[in-house]
Amino acid sequence: MWDYSDKVKDYFFNPKNAGVLGEANAVGEVGAISCGDALKLMMKVDPTTEIITEAKFQTFGCGSAIASSSALTELIIGKTLQEAITITNQDIADFLGGLPPEKMHCSVMGYEALQAAIANFRGEEWHDDHEEGALLCKCFGVDEGMIERAIRMNKLTTIEQITDYTKAGGGCLTCFDKLEEVLAKVNADLVAEGILAAHEAYSIGAADAAEIKAKAKAKKEAEREAAPPTSPLAPASPLPPPSAGMTNLKKMRLIEEAIEELRPYLKKDGGDCELIDVDGNNVMVSLTGACMGCQMASVTVSGIQERLIAKLGVPIRVIPVKAAHAH
């Protein structure tokens, strides 16, 4: 379990400003369902004063993504666009009392959504650098521009930190060498600009780099071997019973509603999710299209699972099955 602050838990289980803002005149969308995280930020901005009077969000992702998105809306409401544009991903994390290092990429997504929404209001075309730079991490669709910006903005000095903030390097590890090159280059620039002390900058020999890469690979292999053979989503301990007062019929209806709410976003990325069966706290779903073939299908399922937990308020396990199992 990650070490979440009480505020992160509160903003996950009781998100503020979640939903659709019909009168929004500034909208920013970032991420992709296929990669496990997506965020749509909607703002209502006074055209005269440029004060953000309302803000709402829709997000698909883990508890930290929901909490970060909710925190972002709280931070920007009442501010002018000029004030809001200075908010960083670290401000979002600080507002929540901190985020686990492995979840800092959720606050980065909030930062990007805000930049995109402000550009949308101003009639500008916002570029997130994701299509302009070389794609370094194919597992998570992270390119060089995003990595450079994360290093510079947050003064990152290790490969592990890059993974925490961008997800890059968290999959097959084939991008490790390139990440090392980008980190060394940007750190050197930061030292030259006086932003980073020379002794803090990333500096490593080839032998050390090979050792780090080998250890990272061994760790991932050990995690895969330790996973339960039935499903990578199976919990380590038995799930507690549903909360009192919720009938099975009500639970099934809420599950159906939650999945139907998510389907348009999945379809937008060329995939889909169909509810197959509900057995106690086990929810069987069938992934089709891009969702089924995506390398991050397990993350997508995890996102669906956390969305159901948030909606029902009870522990839920989502299990991907073939549609044929329903017959």
Side-chain angles (χ1 to χ4, degrees):
M1 287 291 291
W2 309 124
D3 185 16
Y4 292 116
S5 70
D6 290 338
K7 199 166 185 179
V8 169
K9 295 175 185 176
D10 178 42
Y11 272 62
F12 168 47
F13 289 109
N14 305 290
K16 281 74 174 173
N17 308 308
V20 177
L21 182 58
E23 300 178 353
N25 55 358
V27 179
E29 296 185 67
V30 296
I33 295 291
S34 59
C35 291
D37 290 305
L39 168 61
K40 181 177 183 179
L41 175 66
M42 296 153 280
M43 306 189 305
K44 183 177 179 182
V45 183
D46 186 302
T48 304
T49 62
E50 291 198 344
I51 292 176
I52 302 169
T53 57
E54 292 183 64
K56 287 193 174 185
F57 74 92
Q58 290 179 302
T59 191
F60 178 87
C62 63
S64 294
I66 295 171
S68 295
S69 303
S70 182
L72 173 62
T73 60
E74 292 283 277
L75 281 168
I76 62 177
I77 292 176
K79 286 185 170 60
T80 65
L81 293 183
Q82 195 59 39
E83 292 171 333
I85 204 170
T86 63
I87 293 174
T88 67
N89 68 281
Q90 190 61 53
D91 292 329
I92 297 172
D94 290 344
F95 180 85
L96 290 168
L99 283 170
E102 298 85 354
K103 293 294 182 179
M104 282 301 294
H105 63 270
C106 296
S107 64
V108 174
M109 188 168 64
Y111 164 82
E112 291 191 339
L114 176 59
Q115 302 300 309
I118 293 175
N120 176 252
F121 175 81
R122 293 174 173 173
E124 302 169 353
E125 188 175 352
W126 181 72
H127 294 286
D128 58 9
D129 292 337
H130 300 343
E131 296 179 358
E132 296 179 5
L135 192 63
L136 298 189
C137 178
K138 294 182 179 179
C139 293
F140 293 95
V142 185
D143 64 30
E144 189 169 344
M146 181 180 183
I147 294 169
E148 288 185 354
R149 186 169 66 240
I151 295 171
R152 176 171 287 276
M153 180 178 294
N154 300 284
K155 301 181 181 64
L156 308 184
T157 58
T158 68
I159 301 293
E160 184 179 27
Q161 289 174 335
I162 291 179
T163 302
D164 292 341
Y165 279 76
T166 69
K167 289 189 176 182
C172 66
L173 297 177
T174 57
C175 60
F176 185 93
D177 292 340
K178 189 61 180 177
L179 290 176
E180 183 186 16
E181 291 178 14
V182 175
L183 181 59
K185 171 183 172 296
V186 178
N187 272 197
D189 291 341
L190 293 176
V191 170
E193 295 166 17
I195 298 174
L196 198 65
H199 71 276
E200 297 175 320
Y202 181 76
S203 177
I204 193 168
D208 292 331
E211 182 180 353
I212 291 174
K213 186 176 181 181
K215 287 182 178 179
K217 185 177 181 179
K219 180 181 178 182
K220 290 187 179 298
E221 290 176 350
E223 289 173 348
R224 281 196 294 267
E225 292 175 0
T230 52
S231 167
L233 299 175
S237 57
L239 290 168
S243 59
M246 181 182 293
T247 65
N248 288 332
L249 179 60
K250 182 179 180 181
K251 181 166 69 172
M252 288 191 68
R253 285 178 175 171
L254 287 174
I255 291 172
E256 289 176 339
E257 288 176 8
I259 290 179
E260 285 302 314
E261 289 170 1
L262 293 173
R263 291 185 71 189
Y265 297 94
L266 294 167
K267 289 180 178 179
K268 185 178 178 182
D269 283 316
D272 201 356
C273 175
E274 178 186 359
L275 176 63
I276 299 300
D277 195 10
V278 178
D279 181 11
N281 285 330
N282 294 328
V283 178
M284 275 66 78
V285 300
S286 172
L287 299 180
T288 57
C291 289
M292 180 176 60
C294 175
Q295 296 182 41
M296 292 308 298
S298 62
V299 180
T300 300
V301 170
S302 180
I304 296 173
Q305 180 171 287
E306 295 210 40
R307 178 60 63 88
L308 291 177
I309 292 173
K311 192 174 186 70
L312 276 68
V314 298
I316 290 292
R317 177 173 61 181
V318 175
I319 304 173
V321 299
K322 293 182 179 179
H325 290 181
H327 303 297

